[in-house]
Amino acid sequence: MTSVAVVGAGGIGTVLAAAFADAGHDVVVCARSTPGPLILERGGTSTKLDVRVLTEPDALSNVDWVLLCTKAHDTPAAAAWLERSCAAGTTVVVCQNGIGHADRIAGLTGPAQVLPALVYIAAERVAPGRVRHHRGARLVVPAGDAAARLAGLVPGLDITAEPDFRTASWRKLLTNVAANAVTALTTRRMDVLGEPEIRELVTALLTEAVAVGRAVGVNLGPADVAATVSFYDQLGPADGTSMLYDRLAGRPTEYELFNGAVTRLGRKHGVPTPANQAVYALLGAGEP
């Protein structure tokens, strides 16, 4: 049995905690508060997670694996959890959006090994302690020993070991740059992406992001714009995004990681990003 600490009890954290618990591991979920038992809805059924929930970092000790599932802008608040859980034999899987995962937690994990992860899981927190898992169970991580060890731990997850993780992280960023921004601004679900004017905006946002990615040296091209739009089209019209859920709940969103990152890097490398700049400004103005 492997000891696992899941830091963050939102949609992704709850789905991953369930996957590790189902595989027979000793799972503790680190949360700000205890809303009662953690419940995961999937396939029309509701399951109570067989995990422990802690609300105080001092109650946590070193573990084999840490899954950091907080929103990226909440990373500093996870510092105490990471300090208590990390040791020389610990691997920290950074299950967050954006790029530069390892840089984001530099100095917070001590001697532990850091494994960045791109999360392809659609999950929605529908009430305190209750998460609805819509689809997906895939994590993309850099190829190597840690990826192989992670894949062997949880048969219920699809672990993809990616040799070019930097480019993969930008492709994941593309999936967030347009859909998250548009759904958060309109407070509508994925059906909004099917409207002609919105589709033009989506294409502009993606095209600019690809140009910025190429400027920083990642292997992107026009085909990635088409592939991302195709990915959106495969989702259901009633699906949402993490930024939509946060906006509806009055929580801060991750707009700095998506359109903010494209805007800042575009300015740095001399790549015009007018669509992303406009969306970034509007999202910022609507933050709580």
Side-chain angles (χ1 to χ4, degrees), residues 116-158:
L118 311 175
V119 182
Y120 288 88
I121 295 172
E124 176 182 2
R125 184 166 55 184
V126 294
R130 181 175 287 268
V131 167
R132 184 172 298 144
H133 183 192
H134 293 292
R135 58 170 53 81
R138 181 176 176 230
L139 297 181
V140 178
V141 297
D145 173 68
R149 289 189 289 111
L150 179 61
L153 284 176
V154 195
L157 291 178
D158 174 12

Side-chain angles (χ1 to χ4, degrees), residues 24 72 97 278:
N97 282 319

Side-chain angles (χ1 to χ4, degrees), residues 196-218:
E197 296 293 338
I198 295 295
R199 184 58 64 101
E200 287 193 23
L201 173 60
V202 164
T203 301
L205 292 168
L206 295 174
T207 300
E208 291 176 3
V210 165
V212 173
R214 290 178 62 85
V216 302
V218 295

Side-chain angles (χ1 to χ4, degrees), residues 30-55:
C30 308
R32 289 193 182 101
S33 61
T34 306
L38 295 179
I39 305 296
L40 183 63
E41 300 178 6
R42 54 185 170 188
T45 63
S46 298
T47 304
K48 177 183 174 182
L49 269 63
D50 183 17
V51 301
R52 292 176 292 131
V53 179
L54 298 179
T55 59

Side-chain angles (χ1 to χ4, degrees), residues 118-193:
L118 311 175
V119 182
Y120 288 88
I121 295 172
E124 176 182 2
R125 184 166 55 184
V126 294
R130 181 175 287 268
V131 167
R132 184 172 298 144
H133 183 192
H134 293 292
R135 58 170 53 81
R138 181 176 176 230
L139 297 181
V140 178
V141 297
D145 173 68
R149 289 189 289 111
L150 179 61
L153 284 176
V154 195
L157 291 178
D158 174 12
I159 307 297
T160 300
E162 173 57 60
D164 186 2
F165 184 80
R166 189 162 179 247
T167 296
S169 67
W170 271 82
R171 290 198 171 110
K172 177 64 191 302
L173 178 65
L174 291 179
T175 69
N176 289 320
V177 157
N180 274 271
V182 170
T183 56
L185 284 172
T186 61
T187 64
R188 287 176 56 183
R189 293 181 179 252
M190 292 296 290
D191 65 298
V192 71
L193 269 64

Side-chain angles (χ1 to χ4, degrees), residues 18-35:
F20 275 81
D22 289 347
H25 301 300
D26 179 23
V27 179
V28 57
V29 175
C30 308
R32 289 193 182 101
S33 61
T34 306

Side-chain angles (χ1 to χ4, degrees), residues 67-93:
L67 309 179
L68 180 59
C69 300
T70 64
K71 294 297 176 68
H73 51 255
D74 287 332
T75 300
W81 292 110
L82 293 171
E83 180 181 1
R84 294 287 299 178
S85 59
C86 290
T90 304
T91 302
V92 180
V93 187

